[in-house]
Amino acid sequence: MQPSAVPDLAHTHARPVHWLATATAMAAVVAAAGLLQPGAATATSAGGPQAAPAAAPAPDARTATYPLECGGAPSTVARQARGDLDGDGHPETVAIAHCEAGSGTPPSGLYVLTRGKDTGARVAATLVEPAQQKNVTELAVRDGKVAATLLGYSSPDVPSCCPDERERVEWHWKGGAFVRTALAEPVGM
C-alpha cells in the first residue's frame, strides 16, 4: 500500500460541537439580515432620483391639551381614530375626550388633532363642545370623514345615566372647515 500524498485530515471529521457552532453562526447571519431594512423608496423623474416624502404618523391624542373645564379633575381620552381628513397626505387624529368623573357620565368633546411644531398633538378643530351636553360614541374615520353617534337629553329632568336622544352624524372637510351632516338611523335602532 502506498502512503497518501495528502496529509492526514482526521481533524476535519464533523463532531456535534462543530455542527452547533455552524448552526449558531448561521442563526446570527439570518438574524442580522432580518434587522437590516432597505432604504427609503426613491422615485425617478427627469431630474433624477428623489426621496419619497415620508408621511409623519398621526398625532397621539394623549399628548394634546384639550379645552376642557374639569374643575381640577383630570381629563381622559375615551377613544381615538386616525385618518387623512383634509387630503393633504398627513393623517389627523380625532379624539373623544372628557373630564374624569367618579360617577355619572360627563359630557364629551370631539376634537380633531394635528401635529404641532414640537411633534406633539394640538387641537385644530372642535366638532362637539362639552357645553352641548352630548356623549360621543361609535367613533370612526373612513374615506376622509368622521362618523360618530351623539347621545343627548331631551330635558334637564332626564338622568345623566340614561340619555334619551340619539343622533348619527358625520363631518367632512369642505372649503377650509368641517361640515356636519346628519345620517339616517339604521332600521331596527
Side-chain angles (χ1 to χ4, degrees):
M1 181 169 185
Q2 184 175 17
S4 173
V6 178
D8 185 18
L9 299 177
H11 69 280
T12 61
H13 293 290
R15 293 190 175 99
V17 72
H18 293 126
W19 286 111
L20 182 61
T22 302
T24 303
M26 289 300 295
V29 169
V30 170
L35 293 175
L36 297 176
Q37 298 295 321
T42 59
T44 305
S45 65
Q50 299 173 347
D60 183 356
R62 296 171 294 175
T63 65
T65 301
Y66 297 95
L68 294 169
E69 298 292 331
C70 296
S75 63
T76 187
V77 174
R79 189 174 294 159
Q80 60 183 307
R82 296 175 172 94
D84 184 6
L85 299 175
D86 57 5
D88 67 353
H90 300 285
E92 288 78 30
T93 299
V94 180
I96 301 171
H98 59 79
C99 297
E100 286 187 13
S103 62
T105 308
S108 304
L110 185 61
Y111 305 98
V112 176
L113 310 173
T114 59
R115 200 161 270 298
K117 291 182 183 183
D118 62 351
T119 70
R122 71 172 185 84
V123 175
T126 300
L127 303 178
V128 175
E129 293 274 356
Q132 293 174 286
Q133 297 294 309
K134 301 285 184 181
N135 293 85
V136 183
T137 64
E138 300 177 16
L139 176 65
V141 173
R142 285 186 216 100
D143 302 323
K145 296 178 183 177
V146 177
T149 300
L150 306 179
L151 304 178
Y153 309 92
S154 60
S155 77
D157 298 329
V158 176
S160 65
C161 70
C162 312
D164 62 344
E165 294 181 336
R166 176 184 164 129
E167 181 182 13
R168 293 190 62 234
V169 294
E170 75 177 14
W171 292 265
H172 67 278
W173 185 255
K174 183 176 181 183
F178 285 98
V179 177
R180 179 176 160 167
T181 306
L183 298 175
E185 286 288 333
V187 176
M189 294 304 270

